[in-house]
Amino acid sequence: MKSGCLRIKPGDPKIYAEVQTLIYDSSHELLDFMFGDARTAKNVIGALFKKKFGHFSHVFSTTISLDGKVVGIELGYDKGELERQEFKGSIALFLASPVSNWLHLIGTVGPSLEGYIRKPGQNTYYINNIAVSSEYRGKGIGEKLLLDTIGQAEKAGYDAVELDVTASNAGAIG
């Protein structure tokens, strides 16, 4: 990676278009199941990122930029925040989705995802999504973002940080 100015900062609703692809890439299998295609999923994620509540809100995000370009994102919260956001976030997700997708969300997605996100332990920070743009992977950017997240969790007094990774994601496991 060429040396450049890396900057880590809280998410901003104005950058929704920049982060919707990153968030999509971090969970594309799940989001495709939920919304049917990448375009719809990204549009919904972008709409949810702009909100002040819900699991995909900018409020719960940290971004990393290289020379002013957002190249990574982390979304996370603790058990209490996860529970507080569950109902509001679900309603927002439903309303941000195309009407043609509502029956699928209620009849198939909802029951399939019941208990999908394991509740974090007490006094634990849970990373729901972490992603680095494909062109910047393998350059230490994700590690910097993860280390910053861990540092912020320590400062906030959390005892642990949890992250789920799919078994097929060898890069993240490494």
Side-chain angles (χ1 to χ4, degrees):
M1 176 174 69
K2 291 181 191 174
S3 63
C5 180
L6 272 178
R7 186 164 182 216
I8 298 175
K9 62 182 187 175
D12 180 333
K14 295 178 198 144
I15 63 166
Y16 74 93
E18 294 176 73
V19 301
Q20 64 191 15
T21 296
L22 290 170
I23 296 169
Y24 171 80
D25 287 348
S26 73
S27 295
H28 61 89
E29 300 96 344
L30 172 63
L31 294 168
D32 285 346
F33 165 65
M34 292 173 68
F35 302 108
D37 62 81
R39 184 172 158 259
T40 302
K42 290 176 187 180
N43 287 339
V44 172
I45 293 302
L48 296 175
F49 188 79
K50 292 188 276 186
K51 297 196 174 298
K52 292 183 180 181
F53 58 87
H55 298 131
F56 293 104
S57 170
H58 68 278
V59 172
F60 305 110
S61 73
T62 302
T63 61
I64 187 166
S65 300
L66 178 62
D67 296 329
K69 178 183 178 184
V70 177
V71 296
I73 187 165
E74 177 269 332
L75 283 162
Y77 20 74
D78 61 24
K79 182 178 183 175
E81 201 59 64
L82 177 67
E83 291 170 352
R84 282 189 292 279
Q85 298 302 316
E86 209 154 19
F87 181 72
K88 292 188 286 189
S90 295
I91 297 298
L93 184 141
F94 184 76
L95 294 175
S97 300
V99 173
S100 60
N101 201 35
W102 287 6
L103 187 58
H104 173 67
L105 287 171
I106 293 169
T108 305
V109 174
S112 296
L113 296 184
E114 188 65 36
Y116 177 76
I117 296 177
R118 188 174 60 90
K119 302 280 188 208
Q122 282 303 120
N123 206 33
T124 298
Y125 183 82
Y126 176 73
I127 298 173
N128 188 50
N129 298 78
I130 188 165
V132 172
S133 176
S134 59
E135 63 192 278
Y136 294 95
R137 289 184 195 142
K139 300 178 186 316
I141 291 174
E143 180 180 5
K144 287 183 187 333
L145 184 57
L146 186 58
L147 290 173
D148 182 78
T149 299
I150 292 167
Q152 293 300 323
E154 285 176 340
K155 279 185 197 173
Y158 291 106
D159 295 329
V161 175
E162 293 180 1
L163 167 67
D164 295 326
V165 178
T166 58
S168 64
N169 191 341
I173 292 169

